[in-house]
Amino acid sequence: MLVLTLVLAAIGFGLLVAALATGSVLWAWGCILICLFGAATLLVSALSTRKPESDSVPPGRHARHD
């Protein structure tokens, strides 16, 4: 998914350059849409690879009992 995000960022940058070179708002909106889709892809990827939190104590640490 990271590769997809990088490709979308490159496409978005290309659309931004095209928008600046031509002065077209249509290219700028295309850049915004591609960048939003890339950000959503990155967020989904980050949330899916996150390790679940567990109640166990990490190695080398002692559980504190009060």
Side-chain angles (χ1 to χ4, degrees):
M1 274 226 180
L2 182 60
V3 173
L4 176 63
T5 305
L6 290 173
V7 168
L8 289 172
I11 292 170
F13 182 72
L15 288 173
L16 177 65
V17 170
L20 292 173
T22 62
S24 173
V25 176
L26 187 63
W27 291 113
W29 278 109
C31 171
I32 291 169
L33 290 175
I34 291 293
C35 289
L36 286 175
F37 186 68
T41 305
L42 186 62
L43 182 65
V44 167
S45 176
L47 291 177
S48 67
T49 58
R50 206 172 81 175
K51 293 182 181 177
E53 294 182 16
S54 62
D55 292 334
S56 65
V57 178
R61 303 263 180 172
H62 299 288
R64 186 174 174 183
H65 299 287
D66 292 328

